[in-house]
Amino acid sequence: MKLYRRCLLGLSVAGSLQFASCTSQPTKDDQNMTTEQSALERMSGDVHSYAQPAEAVAKHLDLDIDVNFDQKVLSGTASYNIENLTGTDRIIFDTRNLQIEKVYLGEEMEETTFELGEEKEFLGQPLVVQIKPDTKKVTIKYKTSPDAAALQWLNPQQTAGKKNPFLFTQSQAILARTWIPIQDSPGIRITYNAKVKVPKELLAVMSAENPIQKNDTGVYTFQMKQPIPSYLMALSVGDLTFRKIGPQTGIYAEPPTIEAAAYEFAEMDKMLVAAEKLYGKYRWDRYDLLVLPPSFPFGGMENPRLTFVTPTVLAKDRSLTSLIAHELAHSWSGNLVTNGTWDDFWLNEGFTVYFERRIMEELYGKEYADMLQVLGYQDLTNTINDLGADSEDTRLKLDLEGRDPDEGLTDIAYEKGNFFLANIERAVGREKFDAFLNKYFSTFAFESTNTDKFLNFLRQELIKGDEELAEKINIEGWVFSPGLPEDFVKPTSTRFAKVEEAFNAWKGGKPAAQLSTKDWSSHEWLHFIRMLPENMNQEQMAELDKAFSFTKSGNSEVLAAWLLHAIRNNYTTADQALETFLTNVGRRKFLVPIYKALIATPEGKKK
């Protein structure tokens, strides 16, 4: 493992600290402390955090904040229970565009001195707080900036109800520091309690135990007993209502959206049962969803207990719920066992995509899951082509030093990671691989890990010195080499084969209306649209549209794919649908390729 070093305020961010050796007969507490110190030392190589957890580390947060929609700021205090592991006279937190007003030590709230270090692009500033060797508590009084990157303030017109404002946070990857002064590294986990004051007509929810209805005070309290990394800190405030789905599951949404959401996600309990059957007990008590307004830029965010999800999956036919399976799978891969740094992002997302596909196979059969694999492969090859087959960013193990970790949020981590795990399954057999994954999740539960630790575990538990098996698994080719290895097995789909037959028949002159498309899922339609030639004449576009009503599709995946063809071929019939889509959808997955297509054509630039 490469050891990154970066100097800041006289500190070596990734440098190891030397601890006094234990006595010949250490106590149990000493052993536990040494183990914890070693784990923190391994994780202090996070080049995207100023924190020095091997010196002094936060263990629990008590957050007390007011939400001010008029000023678009949060203000209040973040109180941490800390452990001073070395007797140091300082503890370091990450901040970005925060106004730090005062800092106090202990229950007595003794004011102390602090310093904000040099500001660096996307990293923000280190908050260096002076502490004493016996300090157990640090309280930071602060206020956020109106343009805090993690805080999305929506006016009433941007919401489903059009009457009340809305707020949601997005802390991944390193944006928690823009709304809380925090040790903002995925290698550091905390428990937390919170008190949040909001306008009385609104409800606040967090990645914690949540209320299910509004109260008369506008003050809500929260508790998260399980330790989580900072990027899973989440808050949302709006005119929300709750609908129970099952014993452990439910949905929060704005009133105009709740009925559609309740229908779309009615199978959440089945997904939870399927996931537990595969990889063990769900460890977060409840699994609820929050359907956000359309401006939410992602498909979903796996905040523990409360997944944030885009309304673009409300297709009215439950055809896009694999996204929910994905976010649910994060309850094991990511939330339970977390990448220790953003260079190891594939450990979160590759595992989750693999797990998601297994859940969908359990619920809907192998042929259904095979379609998802093929679509994932298409996305992966597009990403590799965009980045370049020899790009270092197409490796699973990344080097993001000096860059915003968001640059690592590509299909490489998701799909290449998934296919690597599928390759291991193929090499050892599903039964043995499932047993391995169960042991992996239980061994590292509520801990952060990294690529080296996972690979060592793989060698110890599965490979066990078997050179022939090691060659089949091909760690070097998958994890440390760019592109796809030569032994990659391209996924296939029997259902897509029938789609390809229909496409070839159309290409050969058969009218679109006569194609056999009965009972096609959105995945089959998406595959069909992706096969269409980039250049089509107006007659071809109109024929397809008349036969299949693509321009009027209520499925966001299908419509977005069709609009790309409409833009490239100047199919003006779809102009109104395009304008409506761009006005009402904020999901980055759809907007980025559509805007790229628009600026690539003279007609598109004018629209």
Side-chain angles (χ1 to χ4, degrees):
M1 179 181 179
K2 183 178 178 182
L3 180 65
Y4 303 109
R5 292 190 178 276
R6 170 165 61 90
C7 293
L8 176 75
L9 297 175
L11 301 173
S12 175
V13 171
S16 297
L17 294 170
Q18 299 299 316
F19 293 91
S21 59
C22 296
T23 60
S24 58
Q25 293 182 322
T27 66
K28 185 175 181 180
D29 286 344
D30 288 336
Q31 289 174 329
N32 290 339
M33 177 66 77
T34 303
T35 299
E36 184 174 12
Q37 288 173 339
S38 298
L40 288 168
E41 282 186 285
R42 286 195 298 270
M43 293 305 169
S44 65
D46 185 355
V47 297
H48 295 108
S49 173
Y50 296 114
Q52 290 288 297
E55 292 183 352
V57 63
K59 304 297 290 185
H60 175 81
L61 165 65
D62 285 296
L63 188 66
D64 188 344
I65 53 175
D66 289 356
V67 178
N68 189 317
F69 278 92
D70 292 333
Q71 297 180 11
K72 293 183 171 55
V73 298
L74 308 180
S75 60
T77 59
S79 298
Y80 288 98
N81 296 342
I82 70 168
E83 289 187 10
N84 188 338
L85 300 171
T86 63
T88 181
D89 62 356
R90 59 188 168 186
I91 183 170
I92 303 176
F93 299 92
D94 293 293
T95 73
R96 180 175 155 193
N97 295 333
L98 293 181
Q99 180 181 332
I100 307 300
E101 298 175 351
K102 292 182 182 296
V103 183
Y104 307 92
L105 302 183
E107 298 293 344
E108 302 80 12
M109 297 289 283
E110 175 188 350
E111 191 169 346
T112 188
T113 57
F114 63 89
E115 178 183 359
L116 284 167
E118 178 187 357
E119 183 172 358
K120 293 186 179 293
E121 186 181 8
F122 63 79
L123 294 178
Q125 297 173 275
L127 170 62
V128 184
V129 176
Q130 295 301 309
I131 61 174
K132 301 173 183 178
D134 61 350
T135 297
K136 302 293 184 186
K137 183 176 181 179
V138 172
T139 299
I140 305 165
K141 185 180 180 183
Y142 75 101
K143 182 182 294 186
T144 63
S145 165
D147 58 357
L151 301 178
Q152 302 300 308
W153 302 91
L154 307 181
N155 63 49
Q157 287 304 309
Q158 294 173 290
T159 68
K162 310 297 183 185
K163 295 180 180 179
N164 293 289
F166 201 103
L167 166 68
F168 66 86
T169 64
Q170 174 59 32
S171 295
Q172 195 180 33
I174 55 170
L175 298 181
R177 67 190 69 182
T178 70
W179 68 286
I180 308 171
I182 198 167
Q183 293 187 317
D184 196 9
S185 168
I188 303 171
R189 303 176 80 97
I190 58 170
T191 55
Y192 78 88
N193 296 329
K195 183 171 78 170
V196 181
K197 185 177 181 180
V198 303
K200 293 181 181 180
E201 64 273 16
L202 304 180
L203 176 67
V205 290
M206 296 190 75
S207 52
E209 294 179 11
N210 279 304
I212 61 173
Q213 60 186 15
K214 299 172 188 172
N215 61 36
D216 295 332
T217 66
V219 176
Y220 298 93
T221 58
F222 305 89
Q223 183 178 42
M224 170 51 81
K225 298 177 183 177
Q226 296 94 338
I228 63 171
S230 55
Y231 75 88
L232 295 178
M233 290 293 302
L235 167 68
S236 188
V237 181
D239 180 15
L240 298 173
T241 187
F242 177 80
R243 178 68 58 85
K244 180 180 179 181
I245 298 296
Q248 289 180 269
T249 58
I251 297 169
Y252 292 87
E254 294 179 84
T257 307
I258 191 67
E259 291 297 334
Y263 171 80
E264 204 77 21
F265 305 131
E267 296 180 332
M268 285 169 60
D269 258 30
K270 291 182 181 179
M271 288 187 178
L272 184 56
V273 170
E276 289 187 321
K277 180 180 177 182
L278 287 169
Y279 298 129
K281 182 67 178 173
Y282 179 76
R283 306 282 289 272
W284 303 92
D285 299 325
R286 288 196 58 81
Y287 183 71
D288 295 323
L289 300 181
L290 169 61
V291 181
L292 290 171
S295 57
F296 183 54
F298 304 104
M301 181 61 210
E302 65 273 15
N303 303 309
R305 297 177 183 263
L306 188 66
T307 284
F308 286 11
V309 65
T310 171
T312 61
V313 296
L314 301 179
K316 300 181 182 178
D317 60 2
R318 301 174 183 163
S319 60
L320 301 179
T321 54
S322 62
L323 183 142
I324 305 306
H326 181 92
E327 304 307 332
L328 172 62
H330 266 306
S331 302
W332 285 261
S333 48
N335 296 7
L336 187 65
V337 182
T338 308
N339 52 225
T341 75
W342 297 111
D343 288 345
D344 305 296
F345 184 58
W346 78 275
L347 290 174
N348 275 20
E349 295 298 349
F351 275 74
T352 297
V353 172
Y354 174 83
F355 193 177
E356 163 208 330
R357 306 267 161 85
R358 291 292 305 278
I359 293 173
M360 298 307 284
E361 179 178 338
E362 185 74 20
L363 291 176
Y364 305 118
K366 186 177 185 302
E367 286 190 350
Y368 191 98
D370 286 344
M371 292 193 292
L372 298 177
Q373 288 286 72
V374 173
L375 292 175
Y377 170 69
Q378 293 171 359
D379 292 336
L380 176 59
T381 53
N382 288 338
T383 298
I384 291 175
N385 290 337
D386 287 344
L387 294 173
D390 295 327
S391 168
E392 293 297 295
D393 284 348
T394 64
R395 302 184 313 158
L396 287 182
K397 174 64 176 180
L398 296 172
D399 181 355
L400 296 170
E401 184 173 16
R403 295 191 287 166
D404 191 321
D406 280 356
E407 293 185 28
L409 305 183
T410 73
D411 280 313
I412 301 301
Y414 290 75
E415 296 295 348
K416 186 178 178 181
N418 158 62
F419 286 121
F420 174 45
L421 297 180
N423 185 59
I424 300 173
E425 179 200 314
R426 189 162 42 248
V428 302
R430 175 165 287 189
E431 183 177 352
K432 185 178 290 187
F433 190 51
D434 280 350
F436 166 79
L437 288 180
N438 270 280
K439 188 169 185 179
Y440 173 71
F441 289 133
S442 62
T443 300
F444 297 103
F446 299 109
E447 294 182 13
S448 296
T449 187
N450 58 38
T451 299
D452 284 349
K453 285 178 70 176
F454 168 73
L455 294 178
N456 288 337
F457 191 74
L458 177 66
R459 294 184 182 101
Q460 175 186 330
E461 298 294 330
L462 272 185
I463 298 177
K464 299 180 179 179
D466 186 333
E467 293 184 7
E468 183 178 346
L469 178 57
E471 186 175 345
K472 287 181 180 179
I473 291 175
N474 189 11
I475 290 173
E476 180 63 32
W478 279 99
V479 180
F480 299 107
S481 301
L484 286 172
E486 293 182 0
D487 59 358
F488 172 71
V489 178
K490 183 178 176 180
T492 60
S493 164
T494 56
R495 288 174 63 169
F496 278 178
K498 296 177 181 177
V499 175
E500 289 156 14
E501 288 178 10
F503 169 75
N504 288 328
W506 174 77
K507 193 176 178 182
K510 188 173 184 177
Q514 295 179 19
L515 298 181
S516 179
T517 62
K518 185 180 179 182
D519 298 326
W520 276 12
S521 68
S522 63
H523 309 305
E524 283 146 312
W525 283 116
L526 185 59
H527 186 55
F528 180 85
I529 293 173
R530 285 182 175 185
M531 285 190 296
L532 294 174
E534 284 202 6
N535 297 315
M536 291 184 284
N537 59 43
Q538 296 297 302
E539 291 75 18
Q540 289 174 312
M541 293 289 294
E543 182 206 7
L544 290 167
D545 205 9
K546 181 179 179 181
F548 306 129
S549 299
F550 288 141
T551 299
K552 296 179 181 178
S553 175
N555 185 297
S556 57
E557 293 277 358
V558 170
L559 179 57
W562 173 250
L563 289 175
L564 291 176
H565 288 289
I567 293 167
R568 293 175 186 132
N569 296 288
N570 195 28
Y571 181 58
T572 56
T573 301
D575 280 359
Q576 184 57 56
L578 174 63
E579 181 179 344
T580 300
F581 190 86
L582 293 178
T583 303
N584 291 284
V585 174
R587 191 173 175 187
R588 187 171 63 177
K589 173 184 178 180
F590 301 138
L591 296 187
V592 171
I594 286 177
Y595 277 111
K596 282 184 177 179
L598 282 170
I599 64 175
T601 67
E603 297 83 6
K605 288 180 180 179
K606 298 175 183 177
K607 291 180 179 178

